Amino acid sequence: MSNMVFLEEALKPGSTIPCYIQPSATLGAPLLRRDVADSIPMSTGNFIKILTMFAPASNDMATKIWSTLDDCEHPRAIKGETKACVSSVESMVEFAASVLGVSTYNLAAFSSPDVPVDGVMTGRGYKVAAVTRVREAGDTMTCHRGSFPFAMFMCHAVNPTRVYSVTLEGEDVDADGAGQRMEVLAVCHLDTSDFHPAKMPLHVKPGDAPLCHFISRDSILWAPATPASAHAAA
C-alpha cells in the first residue's frame, strides 16, 4: 500500500510522481434502487443466499462477494476514521451528509473520469503539468467502489484533508500514443499520526508529513458545497 501514497510536497508543476491508481472495481455493475438494495441481506451470514441471487457465480465472483461482505462487517478503521459500506446512491448521499455535518442539499461530488478503467498500476513516472487546489483544509469523504455484482461503495473519512486536481503527463509514450495526459483528483490527509508504518512511504514515519493518494475512476469524493477558494497551487 505504501506505493499508493506520496508526499503533498510532490504536487508541484514540473515534479515527477510514480503513479499508482487502483483499477475500477466492477465493470458494468448496476446501481440499484434503494428499496431493492435495502432488501438484500448484506452480511457474511447470508453469503449463500446472496450467492444464489447471482447464480451462476464463478469462484472469482464468490471470493469477491465474501471479501466485500467481510470488509463491510469488519471495517478495520484507524483511529479517527469514519467508515461504512453503502449500496445505493441515496444511502451514500445521506451518509456523506451525516459525516460532513451538512444537509443532503449542501454536498458537492468530485471524481477522476480521465483515469483509465484499468487504473495505472505500472508505477510509470508521470510529470505534474498543473495543480489546482480544489478544497482547502477541511472535511471530505471518499467512497470507493467495491467488487460486487451490483454497485457497492466503501466510504471513509480521515480528516482533515486537502484536495487537488492534478494534470499528469506520461513520461514515456504508449504504443498507441494514448494515456499520455489525464486530470485526476489527489486527496491529501493532513494528520497521519495514526497511520500504520507499513502504509507510509520509505523513510517517512506516521505524523511526519501529509500524505496524498489519487482516486480511481469509479471513486467519488464528497465535500460540503460551500464555495472553496480554488486557486493554482504554487
Side-chain angles (χ1 to χ4, degrees), residues 135-219:
R135 293 281 156 172
E136 299 290 350
D139 292 349
T140 61
M141 187 183 81
T142 304
C143 295
H144 304 284
R145 196 155 177 168
S147 296
F148 215 72
F150 62 84
M152 280 193 64
F153 293 84
M154 172 64 82
C155 299
H156 71 131
V158 186
N159 289 311
T161 65
R162 270 190 292 267
V163 183
Y164 298 86
S165 177
V166 185
T167 302
L168 298 174
E169 294 180 342
E171 291 195 309
D172 53 331
V173 180
D174 291 341
D176 58 2
Q180 284 302 101
R181 186 180 178 94
M182 61 181 174
E183 187 172 347
V184 58
L185 282 182
V187 182
C188 298
H189 300 281
L190 307 187
D191 182 3
T192 61
S193 56
D194 291 309
F195 279 36
H196 194 286
K199 295 185 177 181
M200 304 294 292
L202 193 63
H203 306 309
V204 180
K205 297 179 181 179
D208 277 358
L211 285 186
C212 308
H213 61 87
F214 296 120
I215 70 170
S216 61
R217 183 187 182 95
D218 57 1
S219 296

Side-chain angles (χ1 to χ4, degrees), residues 3 24 33 41 62 65 104 116 120 137 161 170 173-175 218 226:
N3 60 6
S24 298
R33 297 198 322 264
I65 289 175
T104 56
V120 181
T161 65
V173 180
D174 291 341
D218 57 1
T226 49

Side-chain angles (χ1 to χ4, degrees), residues 9 12 43 45 61 70 90 109 116 126 136 140 147 159 188 222:
E9 64 187 28
K12 297 179 180 179
S43 68
M61 177 184 285
D70 184 62
E90 295 90 341
Y126 274 78
E136 299 290 350
T140 61
S147 296
N159 289 311
C188 298
W222 297 91

Side-chain angles (χ1 to χ4, degrees), residues 76-153:
R76 303 174 183 88
I78 64 173
K79 183 180 178 180
E81 180 181 23
T82 303
K83 198 171 186 180
C85 285
V86 296
S87 54
S88 68
V89 172
E90 295 90 341
S91 57
M92 179 163 46
V93 169
E94 290 178 1
F95 183 59
S98 68
V99 169
L100 300 176
V102 298
S103 73
T104 56
Y105 299 99
N106 190 30
L107 285 171
F110 304 86
S111 63
S112 296
D114 284 356
V115 174
V117 170
D118 293 335
V120 181
M121 298 299 292
T122 60
R124 60 183 291 192
Y126 274 78
K127 181 181 178 181
V128 177
V131 182
T132 299
R133 192 173 295 163
V134 177
R135 293 281 156 172
E136 299 290 350
D139 292 349
T140 61
M141 187 183 81
T142 304
C143 295
H144 304 284
R145 196 155 177 168
S147 296
F148 215 72
F150 62 84
M152 280 193 64
F153 293 84

